[in-house]
Amino acid sequence: MTEPRPRRSVRRTLPERKRIALIAHDGKKAELLEWAARWRETLTDHELIGTGTTARRVADTLELPVTGLMSGPLGGDQQIGALITEQQLDLLIFFWDPFAPQPHDPDVKALLRLAALWNIPVACNAASADFLISSPWLTQAYEMAIPDAGAWVASRAGE
């Protein structure tokens, strides 16, 4: 009988220079920009990736390079999820709005599920983002366990 989920038996090392995704729902964009401005000097040392308007506004406001993807409702959340799955993202800062229903709520849930599955640090508000961005691990290599997806797929193929 195969296991219902892959074991976390593979090691992944996050690099010293992190790849950080910045996402904010419309009602939280101003808060994310304020937060990012406070941490601009720290963010300068890392690679920034963002969805839609958030990426453009962070790049314009902070005058930092931000790789822009599609907006969340147009597939940007899935693009971020793909980066997580491919181990091309190291940290997720996602200021989501608990007061506004989002037309792409299933996409948001899928993105957070992938972050949990692949053991990616996630901050959903300014306080948790402060804790993550001020962690000594931000500028150091960090080894963590991730799912052994290859072994899991191979075990399921034999069913």
Side-chain angles (χ1 to χ4, degrees):
M1 180 176 195
T2 61
E3 295 182 46
R5 67 190 66 187
R7 285 179 280 146
R8 289 190 178 201
S9 58
V10 173
R11 305 303 289 178
R12 174 182 175 212
T13 301
L14 301 182
E16 291 177 14
R17 184 174 189 264
K18 304 295 188 287
R19 295 160 296 188
I20 302 172
L22 301 173
I23 306 172
H25 285 151
D26 288 344
K28 292 290 188 169
K29 286 190 191 330
E31 186 178 346
L32 179 70
L33 287 170
E34 179 183 303
W35 175 85
R38 282 198 323 270
W39 290 100
R40 184 190 186 285
E41 187 176 324
T42 300
L43 292 171
T44 300
D45 296 330
H46 301 280
E47 180 182 341
L48 304 178
I49 303 156
T51 54
T53 307
T54 303
R56 191 184 77 249
R57 289 183 64 188
V58 169
D60 292 346
T61 302
L62 275 61
E63 298 180 339
L64 291 175
V66 180
T67 300
L69 305 176
M70 299 298 289
S71 73
L74 295 177
D77 296 334
Q78 282 89 356
Q79 288 178 296
I80 294 289
L83 292 173
I84 291 170
T85 301
E86 296 165 354
Q87 284 89 60
Q88 298 299 310
L89 192 71
D90 307 313
L91 197 74
L92 175 60
I93 308 292
F94 184 4
F95 285 21
W96 58 274
D97 189 348
F99 289 108
Q102 302 296 325
H104 63 293
D105 274 343
D107 304 329
V108 171
K109 183 177 180 184
L111 175 60
L112 294 174
R113 179 190 166 279
L114 287 173
L117 172 68
W118 290 100
N119 205 16
I120 297 295
V122 178
C124 292
N125 55 47
S128 58
D130 285 343
F131 273 75
L132 284 181
I133 206 81
S134 65
S135 168
W137 291 111
L138 185 70
T139 57
Q140 299 177 34
Y142 177 77
E143 187 174 301
M144 62 188 200
I146 62 170
D148 186 349
W152 187 69
V153 168
S155 73
R156 296 183 66 79
E159 290 182 352

